[in-house]
Amino acid sequence: MSTEPTSPAVPGEEDTTTTLDVLIAERRRKRDSLAARGLDPYPSRFDRSALAAELHADHQGLEADVHTGVVAKVAGRITAKRGHGRLSFAELTDPTGSIQLLMQESNLSESAQAVLDATDLGDWIGAEGEVVTSRRGELSIDVGELFMLSKALRPLPDKWHGLTETDTRYRQREVDLLANPDSRRVFDIRFAVIAALRALMAAERFVEVDTPILQPQAGGALARPFLTHANALDIELSLRIAPELYLKRLVVGGYERVFEIARNFRNEGIDTRHSPEFTALEAYQAFGDLDDGMDLSERLIVGAAEASTGRLTFRVGDKEVDLTPPWPRLHLLDLLEAKVGRRLHPSDPVEDVRAVCGKFGVEFLPTWGSGKLIFELYDAVILPEVTNPVFIVGFPIEVSPLARHSADDPLMADRYELCIDGREFVNGYSELNVPDEQDERFAAMAAAGEGDLEVPPADAAFVRALEFGLPPTSGLGIGIDRLVMLLAEVEAIRDVILFPMLRPEQA
RNA sequence: GCGCCUCUAGCUCAACGGCAGAGCAACGGACUCUUAAUCCGCAGGUUCUGGGUUCGAAUCCCAGGGGGCGCACCA
């Protein structure tokens, strides 16, 4: 035991030892003290016999000071220590909860005592002993053997306040997860949602597939892609912005029900609701139309909510959202008529629709047609009013280049969006399966959006696939991150993404 | 991209023009029933970085960096 060299050695020589260095050195010293006794501070394995939650469940309602005669081996991180001389308490936390370790010097083996002396908050510890209750009635392990499973060299954040600095929480998510139970709760919901969606889709006889992320031409949405380069082929590639076109090619190929839980990449703004990489479930169902798609959306979201949280009502800000089905299905043009006081239609002269936009403070570009303007009006005056889920049905063809036009209206598409709390959660439609029409729409888009970085060139391979015949198909996409935000009741998309994109740390 | 806010000990936060402090964690000590244990003692700082104003700057000003929020684009 020696004093740490914390004082400057030579005048003029820079002393860069920080508090953190001293804390780490202290933990290294304890680790080395174990090694010196022949105790491996990083052993290869440990046999756990019980989880904290199991112990609490199996020994409910015991009196104080009870000896059960049951021996258990537990493992986890030390999250609190309370020493009393020759008696110590510690809290050991595993993924299911915490269990108290009761350590009496008289009961501890010699090696257990050495491990106890070398234990800091944050260490991975294994403990073996009888399940008892303390004199105050707390369920505990009366420890006989104690094992260092992995020595933590860095100190943990404050046990009471946790880690609050958002920067650190995102950059060192592992620390956030081990220090902040609420962060763990959010991600538990996320992965329960994804597992539930997979199970629900399997039950609906959808096949899960995976399609290229590196694509010669990103399509299926309007967005600026990330670009990269393939050395072997010496070609430019894009990261996908949506899996849509490949999935429909699989339906052409005979996969009548397919889905992909797809990471998509869009090289655009980052804010509370947008992340450059985000996750969407896209599903395509042959012989279905938009009503089948809305039915499926409803089953998936209700099922995922129940499986991950057991609830159907959620707080969002100061509002409550109720997901209890069935959800209303309302036509976009009807809603707009009620809101703006006149019936609008994509066939209206563009000056008329612009006038309505002006009246409601909706800004627009001169290149936009009546259909796009109607969509913008919807975004500005309909969406923000929505709280509980509502399917909004019928969108202008002008903003739906991959959707089938309505049977009775060539300027409107059989497309719907599911809106909750002012946001779009699902976008779905009856797929356009007429190859010539698709080709024309690509060409029209390219012409209208010349110079626009978001408009992709026509996808010839996709059109060729349509020429082999795409059956009538219902397609939909669900934003997983937003769904998790709703179910976990958090405000920022970065709180539901484990390692969100940030500027790299300075060296 | 533009605007506003923020950065102090390992963590959580004070000090807001006048000696940089507290709690937790650490370190030394007391304690066999605590559970945010308690008590005594001790230590811990490039106040994000660089300039400037001032007798004096963590504090005010300028520039830069990280992060957050809002607006715009987008899902």
Side-chain angles (χ1 to χ4, degrees):
Chain A
M1 196 186 318
S2 64
T3 324
E4 293 303 328
T6 52
S7 52
V10 185
E13 198 165 291
E14 212 176 346
D15 175 21
T16 55
T17 305
T18 64
T19 308
L20 179 59
D21 293 330
V22 173
L23 294 174
I24 290 175
E26 182 60 31
R27 285 170 177 251
R28 287 185 187 277
R29 183 187 66 75
K30 291 179 182 171
R31 180 192 65 181
D32 295 343
S33 77
L34 288 178
R37 287 168 180 262
L39 297 169
D40 185 356
Y42 301 104
S44 62
R45 69 186 313 280
F46 181 77
D47 287 306
R48 171 157 63 191
S49 74
L51 291 161
E54 294 169 355
L55 290 171
H56 286 289
D58 293 349
H59 299 92
Q60 282 180 51
L62 290 183
E63 305 282 303
D65 215 1
V66 168
H67 291 242
T68 65
V70 177
V71 171
K73 294 174 80 172
V74 295
R77 265 190 207 275
I78 296 297
T79 48
K81 266 181 88 181
R82 299 178 284 275
H84 286 265
R86 282 178 287 284
L87 169 70
S88 293
F89 296 94
E91 222 154 88
L92 184 144
T93 301
D94 69 27
T96 68
S98 292
I99 182 75
Q100 177 167 271
L101 304 183
L102 188 161
M103 293 169 290
Q104 313 184 68
E105 198 176 277
S106 50
N107 279 9
L108 292 174
S109 75
E110 197 178 322
S111 63
Q113 185 63 52
V115 170
L116 175 57
D117 293 341
T119 296
D120 287 303
L121 293 183
D123 292 347
W124 289 92
I125 292 290
E128 178 176 10
E130 185 183 0
V131 178
V132 301
T133 53
S134 70
R135 281 182 208 160
R136 292 290 173 87
E138 173 85 15
L139 190 70
S140 309
I141 304 291
D142 188 0
V143 176
E145 293 295 341
L146 204 60
F147 305 93
M148 179 66 69
L149 302 183
S150 182
K151 182 70 192 167
L153 295 181
R154 287 177 180 271
L156 262 56
D158 188 285
K159 65 182 172 185
W160 189 246
H161 299 100
L163 185 66
T164 62
E165 185 97 2
T166 47
D167 186 23
T168 313
R169 290 209 303 118
Y170 297 149
R171 287 190 197 281
Q172 296 176 234
R173 183 67 86 182
E174 61 283 359
V175 181
D176 179 41
L177 286 167
L178 71 90
N180 296 331
D182 195 60
S183 185
R184 174 64 184 253
R185 177 192 68 86
V186 169
F187 288 105
D188 283 348
I189 289 173
R190 180 185 180 104
F191 301 120
V193 164
I194 291 173
L197 290 173
R198 285 212 159 89
L200 290 161
M201 292 303 278
E204 306 254 358
R205 301 191 332 280
F206 280 79
V207 176
E208 181 171 9
V209 299
D210 49 356
T211 63
I213 293 173
L214 293 172
Q215 305 180 353
Q217 190 180 111
L222 292 181
R224 296 183 63 175
F226 286 90
L227 300 177
T228 187
H229 184 263
N231 290 339
L233 303 180
D234 192 24
I235 53 170
E236 294 300 313
L237 292 173
S238 300
L239 274 65
R240 77 170 158 210
I241 55 175
E244 171 157 358
L245 302 185
Y246 284 99
L247 290 175
K248 278 191 271 195
R249 288 167 70 175
L250 293 179
V251 180
V252 170
Y255 278 98
E256 295 183 359
R257 292 181 170 215
V258 288
F259 78 103
E260 179 166 6
I261 294 179
R263 190 75 61 89
N264 297 322
F265 306 87
R266 299 189 183 175
N267 207 344
E268 292 172 347
I270 304 176
D271 62 32
T272 316
R273 297 176 181 188
H274 300 269
S275 168
E277 53 180 303
F278 66 100
T279 304
L281 181 152
E282 281 204 15
Y284 293 84
Q285 175 182 354
F287 316 125
D289 66 8
L290 75 174
D291 286 310
D292 298 297
M294 286 187 274
D295 292 344
L296 178 62
S297 301
E298 201 173 275
R299 289 196 298 275
L300 288 174
I301 289 178
V302 168
E306 286 177 331
S308 60
T309 68
R311 293 182 289 139
L312 285 179
T313 58
F314 301 90
R315 292 214 69 77
V316 181
D318 53 358
K319 288 180 292 185
E320 182 163 274
V321 167
D322 186 351
L323 298 186
T324 305
W327 301 333
R329 301 176 182 189
L330 305 173
H331 201 280
L332 172 59
L333 297 182
D334 294 338
L335 289 169
L336 214 47
E337 182 176 6
K339 192 71 195 174
V340 308
R342 58 165 289 190
R343 185 94 187 160
L344 295 172
H345 189 268
S347 62
D348 291 346
V350 69
E351 297 78 23
D352 292 8
V353 189
R354 281 178 184 167
V356 177
C357 286
K359 201 171 141 194
F360 286 85
V362 175
E363 293 181 8
F364 51 83
L365 296 177
T367 52
W368 294 355
S370 295
K372 170 73 169 166
L373 293 171
I374 286 171
F375 179 77
E376 292 297 319
L377 275 168
Y378 149 79
D379 237 21
V381 305
I382 306 284
L383 250 189
E385 307 252 308
V386 172
T387 299
N388 287 325
V390 51
F391 287 109
I392 293 169
V393 185
F395 283 77
I397 284 285
E398 186 181 340
V399 293
S400 314
L402 300 167
R404 180 187 193 88
H405 65 72
S406 304
D408 56 356
D409 190 340
L411 293 180
M412 292 293 285
D414 280 344
R415 170 181 168 190
Y416 62 91
E417 288 192 351
L418 172 67
C419 300
I420 307 173
D421 182 40
R423 310 180 204 188
E424 177 194 331
F425 277 70
V426 177
N427 183 18
Y429 36 86
S430 296
E431 301 296 334
L432 174 59
N433 63 349
V434 184
D436 297 345
E437 189 177 346
Q438 185 67 77
D439 202 28
E440 284 163 20
R441 295 234 201 132
F442 277 139
M445 247 196 325
E450 199 144 14
D452 188 337
L453 293 161
E454 292 192 352
V455 173
D459 190 320
F462 175 62
V463 174
R464 185 181 60 200
L466 292 185
E467 289 169 351
F468 284 101
L470 175 70
T473 297
S474 167
L476 63 84
I478 302 179
I480 303 286
D481 309 279
R482 286 183 174 180
L483 179 59
V484 175
M485 288 168 68
L486 172 68
L487 302 185
E489 300 175 323
V490 301
E491 307 278 330
I493 197 168
R494 282 173 162 169
D495 287 330
V496 302
I497 293 174
L498 280 173
F499 297 99
M501 185 184 292
L502 296 174
R503 228 167 266 284
E505 283 183 77
Q506 306 289 59

